[in-house]
Amino acid sequence: MAASRDLSVLFDPASVAVLGASDDESKYGNWISVQALRMAGSRPVHLINRRAQPVLGWPTYRTLAEAPGPVELVVIAVPAAGFEPAVDDALRAGARAIVGITAGFAELGPDGRAVQERVAQRVRAAGALLLGPNCLGVADSTTGLTLASNPLPPGGVSLLSQSGNMALELSQVLAGHGLGFARFASLGNQADLAAADLILSCTTHPGTELIAVYCEDFGDGRAFVAAAAEATRVGKPVLLLTVGGSAGSVRGARSHTGALTSDSAVIDAACRAAGVYRVASPRELANLAGALCGGSPGGGLALAGGPLGGGPPSGGPFGGGPPSGGPFRVGRTLGGGPGAVRVRRVAVLADGGGHGALACDLLEAAGLAVPEFPPALATELRGQLPPSAAVSNPVDLAGARDISTFARVLAAMLGSAEVDGALVTGYFGGYGEYGPALASAEVAVAGAMADQARSHGKPVAVHTMYPDSPAARVLAERGVPVFGAVEDAARTLALLGSGGTVTVVAPPPVAPPVTADGYWDARQLLAEAGVEFPAAALITTADQADSAAADRAARAAAEIGYPVVLKALGLPHKSDAGGVALGLTGQEELRAAFADMSDRLSAPGYCVEAMADLTGGVELIAGVRTDPRFGPVAMVGLGGVFTEVLADVAFALAPVSAATAKQLLTGLRSAALLRGVRGRPPVDLDAAAALIAVVTQVAAAHPEIAELEVNPLLATPHRALGLDARIVLA
């Protein structure tokens, strides 16, 4: 488990003060004071105003020193010029936690960052905590703490946001799904407390059932991963909304690995390692949270064990909000650990051909499969439906007049081992408009559909043109997420399979540093770790005439056995510079290639290497690049000359296990080449995966290596070996 800081004083202080309290409704000091006074009956609240004028009808004090009794948590909402002295006043008054509402620090440039860092160091030296600065406050519905700029309904979601306005939007869209909040923390500039600290504190918070995060700067990315992984392990899903995709952080990379790695790809890799659900918008976050939690209109995931919920009942100090359901850990009945809802193959149930076809397109665009049903299931469905109904997937009810058909067909689909989940789309929810009898029947069928989803333990999402109908409300209340847009239903099902499983591998011990970055050095480093390379010999040219070096190369080639490869050393891209001669079949060809390279390249040395048999093999790339936030990141993909052209690559935090490496390989677009296609034999995936795992272990053990790469890595039907290697030192 990751190391945790005790944040109890931040979320459950014995007393609080607002420094910068104001009667001006346009100021944060006023907004925070309004919220602070809501808890005046449960803990001492002191308002500090340098003029000592009443605020909101309450008396104020000029300084914290004048306030009666100790103050554990101080919220500071003063102009930037007064922030540092205000922090000093708070620390002198014995504050153990400070919330900095004030803006105007690191976000403005180096001078502001210097002040921010100086203040943070002072706070840490005093043994206190600092949230922010440049934030909207903090709240905890389980302790009655209301020190955020806006009121929030209670519930089971802990919302952590680096952006203030994004926090407000997320709180609104989540509340719109009937979801309330256990905790809220506005991260701001993260001068002291970072997202990782807040996530880790939520893992042991009884009221937190789900953690929603908006973060732009992860700081220590590995700390974030460790905290999120711990939350995943204890069954508290982490949903992340972030920005990225810029290539700015990798413009200086000099290898294929660096050139093909983007910020967004690294964040995706971090999310996969920690089991985090990465979403693309506030709406996606709310839809997924609604599917994982109890809530309306999104409902909660109808799996055995009840909807994820918990938290305080409605009517608490946050005000309003629906009561939450019982505690639930996603994946409790599905296997794979908390949060592991593995949705890959989806059955589509529609009451119209157009809706069914569109749902299939959207599901496949979201990365899911809509496979043809096995014959046994198709036969079972054929017996329940009119002759004109489609039963191969999607299923089109084709005007089936018995509304109970929805529940029976759904039960049959979910009962198949070939189905991981289902999407129902179309008119269901609107049949009740045709009369009271049909309305009653539709509500009953909705309950039966929810029962089927729960009993089979598989996710079901419902898209309906009538999301506010009685039947839709029954589905939502019984834990089946309901959507007014089919694309939201499809995307949410896809997101359910994107997180919940931790794959973080502990880093190896730090090894003695590497000081040389040539091909031979990279080859030797990897070979000592267990990576197989073709037999080879090093030919140095220092202090030798070209003829003597050529003689040594010829003798080495004779010992290795022809055909051989001649490689010039000391070149960033040997092939591009004409520093590689392949398939040399005898001494005459070898000497000619050596003479040509000597004339053109003035290389400090050469490598004579056995020519690998490429028959039946596939060239791959295995690389590791050190990301400034998340540390070593592994890249696996199609290699050789196609690496940058096709960009068929996958990423994971390094080191990776052989099992994870194999998953990366089989997830490539070109994976069919590895499994064998058009008469080509399948390659030894286990051998390739084991070699990739070793490369990532070596890179992770050497923090001085910025990039490490084996390209090509030749995977054959019987083994895997490296054909070239490259080191870039930090």
Side-chain angles (χ1 to χ4, degrees):
M1 178 176 173
S4 176
R5 298 176 69 181
D6 182 5
L7 307 190
S8 57
V9 70
L10 179 67
F11 291 105
D12 190 17
S15 57
V16 302
V18 178
L19 202 164
S22 173
D23 246 349
D24 185 342
E25 293 181 354
S26 68
K27 293 184 176 180
Y28 280 104
N30 176 267
W31 305 346
I32 295 291
S33 296
V34 169
Q35 300 305 318
L37 292 176
R38 296 175 60 192
M39 57 181 174
S42 59
R43 54 170 56 89
V45 175
H46 307 300
L47 303 184
I48 311 300
N49 177 289
R50 60 190 180 90
R51 295 185 179 87
Q53 296 174 342
V55 170
L56 300 170
W58 282 68
T60 64
Y61 304 93
R62 286 186 174 82
T63 65
L64 283 167
E66 296 179 10
V71 177
E72 283 199 333
L73 187 152
V74 176
V75 181
I76 299 178
V78 300
F83 183 72
E84 191 169 7
V87 169
D88 291 337
D89 287 347
L91 294 176
R92 281 194 298 268
R96 297 172 53 208
I98 296 171
V99 177
I101 305 296
T102 305
F105 300 101
E107 70 273 21
L108 297 185
D111 292 342
R113 179 174 294 278
V115 175
Q116 177 178 298
E117 292 176 351
R118 186 166 64 241
V119 168
Q121 290 172 2
R122 201 169 303 167
V123 170
R124 285 192 290 268
L129 308 170
L130 171 63
L131 181 67
N134 188 24
C135 77
L136 292 185
V138 63
D140 188 320
S141 65
T142 65
T143 66
L145 184 72
T146 55
L147 283 172
S149 61
N150 295 64
L152 299 168
V157 176
S158 281
L159 174 60
L160 315 174
S161 178
Q162 187 175 356
S163 164
N165 276 354
M166 187 61 71
L168 297 178
E169 181 175 2
L170 288 172
S171 67
Q172 290 176 4
V173 295
L174 286 165
H177 279 63
L179 299 173
F181 302 90
R183 280 180 171 177
F184 166 73
S186 177
L187 302 175
N189 292 2
Q190 303 184 91
D192 177 32
L193 292 177
D197 299 306
L198 276 300
I199 291 172
L200 206 54
S201 75
C202 290
T203 63
T204 57
H205 180 231
T208 298
E209 293 290 341
L210 180 146
I211 304 169
V213 182
Y214 175 79
C215 193
E216 299 167 358
D217 180 3
F218 295 91
D220 184 345
R222 288 293 173 131
F224 175 89
V225 169
E230 181 62 22
T232 299
R233 290 189 189 100
V234 301
K236 299 187 178 187
V238 178
L239 280 58
L240 173 67
L241 174 62
T242 186
V243 293
S246 167
S249 67
V250 297
R251 286 185 184 128
R254 286 176 282 162
S255 75
H256 295 294
T257 306
L260 289 168
T261 306
S262 70
D263 279 357
S264 190
V266 173
I267 294 170
D268 281 341
C271 289
R272 285 192 297 271
V276 171
Y277 298 88
R278 184 178 179 185
V279 298
S281 68
R283 189 171 80 171
E284 274 196 3
L285 188 147
N287 285 338
L288 181 58
L292 295 171
C293 297
S296 175
L301 195 61
L303 305 178
L308 186 153
S314 60
F318 278 24
S324 300
F328 168 65
R329 298 292 183 265
V330 180
R332 176 181 288 167
T333 61
L334 299 185
V341 179
R342 297 267 72 87
V343 182
R344 293 291 180 265
R345 302 160 299 176
V346 179
V348 174
L349 172 57
D351 50 8
H355 274 105
L358 180 59
C360 292
D361 284 352
L362 291 168
L363 285 165
E364 292 190 358
L368 298 177
V370 186
E372 185 174 359
F373 287 151
L377 176 56
T379 300
E380 180 182 357
L381 294 173
R382 174 59 64 206
Q384 300 184 35
L385 296 172
S388 59
V391 295
S392 61
N393 200 19
V395 173
D396 179 4
L397 298 186
R401 296 184 181 277
D402 183 358
I403 193 73
S404 65
T405 303
F406 278 93
R408 292 198 302 271
V409 171
L410 181 63
M413 294 192 307
L414 295 178
S416 172
E418 304 298 314
V419 171
D420 302 322
L423 191 155
V424 181
T425 177
Y427 198 79
F428 184 83
Y431 291 98
E433 293 193 345
Y434 293 110
L438 197 53
S440 178
E442 188 177 44
V443 167
V445 170
M449 292 167 67
D451 289 342
Q452 292 296 338
R454 185 178 300 279
S455 64
H456 286 94
K458 296 179 179 179
V460 175
V462 174
H463 157 247
T464 171
M465 292 182 275
Y466 297 88
D468 297 322
S469 66
R473 287 198 296 270
V474 167
L475 287 166
E477 290 165 0
R478 298 283 295 275
V480 176
V482 177
F483 303 91
V486 65
E487 59 267 33
D488 289 343
R491 179 63 178 159
T492 300
L493 280 176
L495 287 169
L496 286 171
S498 68
T501 302
V502 177
T503 60
V504 179
V505 175
V510 176
V514 172
T515 57
D517 60 358
Y519 164 64
W520 187 261
D521 306 290
R523 191 184 196 280
Q524 291 297 98
L525 175 69
L526 290 164
E528 290 171 3
V531 175
E532 182 182 358
F533 286 89
L538 173 65
I539 310 299
T540 59
T541 56
D543 302 324
Q544 294 188 59
D546 286 349
S547 59
D551 290 342
R552 288 190 58 213
R555 289 195 299 271
E559 293 176 5
I560 292 170
Y562 288 98
V564 298
V565 178
L566 181 66
K567 298 179 179 179
L569 304 181
L571 305 176
H573 293 287
K574 297 183 292 295
S575 297
D576 294 345
V580 178
L582 301 173
L584 305 176
T585 59
Q587 183 177 148
E588 184 176 339
E589 290 184 5
L590 173 70
R591 288 183 177 276
F594 192 96
D596 173 63
M597 291 185 193
S598 296
D599 290 342
R600 290 184 298 105
L601 304 176
S602 301
Y606 297 86
C607 175
V608 179
E609 196 167 86
M611 180 73 185
D613 182 3
L614 305 181
T615 305
V618 177
E619 291 187 356
L620 302 172
I621 181 173
V624 179
R625 178 179 74 87
T626 299
D627 182 84
R629 296 169 299 173
F630 291 96
V633 179
M635 186 191 78
V636 175
L638 198 64
V641 298
F642 300 109
T643 299
E644 291 184 4
V645 175
L646 300 181
D648 185 11
V649 292
F651 301 91
L653 294 191
V656 301
S657 65
T660 296
K662 189 172 182 178
Q663 290 175 355
L664 295 175
L665 289 172
T666 56
L668 296 172
R669 296 192 304 275
S670 54
L673 294 174
L674 305 176
R675 293 190 290 266
V677 63
R678 290 186 175 270
R680 294 172 61 95
V683 305
D684 188 340
L685 275 173
D686 291 328
L691 189 153
I692 291 167
V694 170
V695 173
T696 67
Q697 286 280 344
V698 171
H702 288 275
E704 74 280 3
I705 294 180
E707 299 174 28
L708 179 65
E709 184 179 286
V710 175
N711 182 32
L713 182 166
L714 182 66
T716 76
H718 308 293
R719 64 175 184 171
L721 69 162
L723 301 186
D724 206 352
R726 180 171 175 75
I727 286 177
V728 175
L729 295 177

